[in-house]
Amino acid sequence: MYLVTGATGNIGGKVLDRLHAAGHKVRALTRDPGRARLPAGVDVVAADLGDPATLPAALDGVRKVFLMSLGHNKATHDGNLVAAAEQAGVTQVVQLSTLGVEEVDEEHDTPLGRWHRQAEQALTGSSLGWTILRPNGFMTHALGWAPGIRDASVVRSPIADLPEALVAPEDIADVAVRALTSDGHEGAVYSLTGPEALTTREQVAVLGEVLGRELRFEQMTLEEHHAVLAARYSAQTADGVVKALRTVLESGDDFRGRVFPGIPQALGRPGRTFRQWATENAAAFA
Ligand SMILES: NC(=O)c1ccc[n+]([C@@H]2O[C@H](COP(=O)([O-])OP(=O)(O)OC[C@H]3O[C@@H](n4cnc5c(N)ncnc54)[C@H](OP(=O)(O)O)[C@@H]3O)[C@@H](O)[C@H]2O)c1
């Protein structure tokens, strides 16, 4: 039995769908099964990574886990899951971390990097088998532009000219499933990027071509971006993300523009380009 955390979300949802479609026995972890829309035939368990008492039942009979958690709670939440997984006899955890855990020096370190580094250490310091996925920024960031594109053909972002080798969530999920269902991934750390680096302005140009409409780019301030993130996540998480962005924008050259080999290494094929991702997801902008 596989346990998928974040099963109602972005990466976890895709991992769940792929495991289920391939005929594996899968259990979805969610805080609210009543709200979760999950495929028929998937086992669903109510649990909260912040509440260790809920985890033994979620892990009963589980051999392998896809683990994701959010923001400033990452180290605590991943630590809770790891401790319960050790008790439950789990053999392997595939953990969603982030690029930048190793790439930044002390001077440019941010809360975001620290949260992920501590979460990784909770897993690698355990007795469990582990595989770590370190993705760059997700291409799905562009979905946040959909309302502005629909209403006014405008994209607003705090980042304009920074090259980023963004990665498609579909590719992250493919790597996670490969690591969970085949041998040879224990102790592996996969740094996951797309095959090219594009600035936000270049992404907007590609998106305009794919959608067949002229799009305008408007730069927003980091303060405006903070307000958007705080409404979506929490003030503390917004602080961490904006601090990381400020560091990136001020330090200029950055790991986010580098292409890493994790996807070809794990899957034997290149990752999706932004154009491929936008073409596959064009309906979300219509
Ligand atoms: N976004 C990026 O560009 C980026 C880049 C690099 C790395 N990452 C990593 O990827 C993560 C985000 O992944 P994602 O997009 O897949 O997230 P997501 O789907 O947006 O996260 C939502 C999921 O988190 C679950 N969740 C939230 N709080 C929980 C709790 N206390 N207990 C159990 N489940 C909880 C929700 O489950 P329920 O609501 O059903 O309970 C939901 O399924 C980041 O935190 C970071 O580690 C992101």
Side-chain angles (χ1 to χ4, degrees):
M1 170 77 83
Y2 294 90
L3 177 72
V4 177
T5 66
T8 60
N10 185 15
I11 309 295
K14 291 177 177 59
V15 172
L16 184 88
D17 287 347
R18 282 158 169 71
L19 288 171
H20 181 59
H24 296 290
K25 281 177 77 178
V26 197
R27 182 178 296 155
L29 185 152
T30 172
R31 289 165 299 173
D32 186 354
R35 235 176 1 105
R37 293 216 203 115
L38 295 161
V42 165
D43 193 19
V44 184
V45 64
D48 187 325
L49 292 172
D51 181 357
T54 63
L55 298 178
L59 287 159
D60 187 32
V62 168
R63 283 184 53 248
K64 299 193 174 192
V65 177
F66 174 73
L67 173 59
M68 65 77 56
S69 64
L70 294 174
H72 64 281
N73 290 315
K74 265 199 96 68
T76 315
H77 285 191
D78 285 21
N80 289 342
L81 190 286
V82 164
E86 284 181 306
Q87 291 299 314
V90 166
T91 58
Q92 187 201 13
V93 172
V94 175
Q95 182 188 46
L96 188 62
S97 179
T98 190
L99 201 62
V101 163
E102 262 183 6
E103 285 73 20
V104 287
D105 55 30
E106 218 170 284
E107 188 193 341
H108 297 111
D109 203 8
T110 64
L112 212 55
R114 278 194 293 280
W115 299 334
H116 284 86
R117 197 172 304 115
Q118 288 163 359
E120 286 191 9
Q121 285 163 356
L123 178 59
T124 56
S126 76
S127 60
L128 300 168
W130 52 264
T131 308
I132 292 174
L133 312 185
R134 291 185 183 152
N136 204 358
F138 299 170
M139 290 179 184
T140 28
H141 281 315
L143 295 178
W145 304 339
I149 289 176
R150 274 196 292 266
D151 298 346
S153 296
V154 66
V155 170
R156 303 188 74 238
S157 166
I159 307 173
D161 299 311
L162 180 81
E164 291 184 282
L166 298 177
V167 59
E170 290 83 351
D171 288 330
I172 303 173
D174 284 344
V175 174
V177 169
R178 184 66 63 89
L180 285 164
T181 59
S182 64
D183 293 335
H185 305 281
E186 198 156 307
V189 178
Y190 292 114
S191 296
L192 306 176
T193 70
E196 64 187 354
L198 296 181
T199 66
T200 303
R201 284 187 211 278
E202 289 168 338
Q203 292 164 47
V204 173
V206 169
L207 200 49
E209 284 168 24
V210 167
L211 301 177
R213 55 194 288 190
E214 187 120 344
L215 301 180
R216 204 157 38 83
F217 176 82
E218 267 179 23
Q219 185 147 15
M220 72 200 286
T221 65
L222 283 175
E223 289 69 28
E224 287 171 303
H225 189 52
H226 186 284
V228 172
L229 292 173
R232 194 181 306 162
Y233 301 106
S234 69
Q236 208 174 343
T237 296
D239 289 349
V241 173
V242 167
K243 175 138 195 295
L245 272 180
R246 200 181 296 281
T247 306
V248 167
L249 293 171
E250 283 168 5
S251 64
D253 79 336
D254 186 72
F255 62 88
R256 289 164 201 252
R258 275 166 53 200
V259 173
F260 285 81
I263 290 176
Q265 273 171 356
L267 300 178
R269 62 157 176 85
R272 285 165 174 78
T273 61
F274 184 72
R275 185 178 294 275
Q276 282 173 302
W277 176 85
T279 304
E280 287 174 19
N281 291 278
F285 299 91

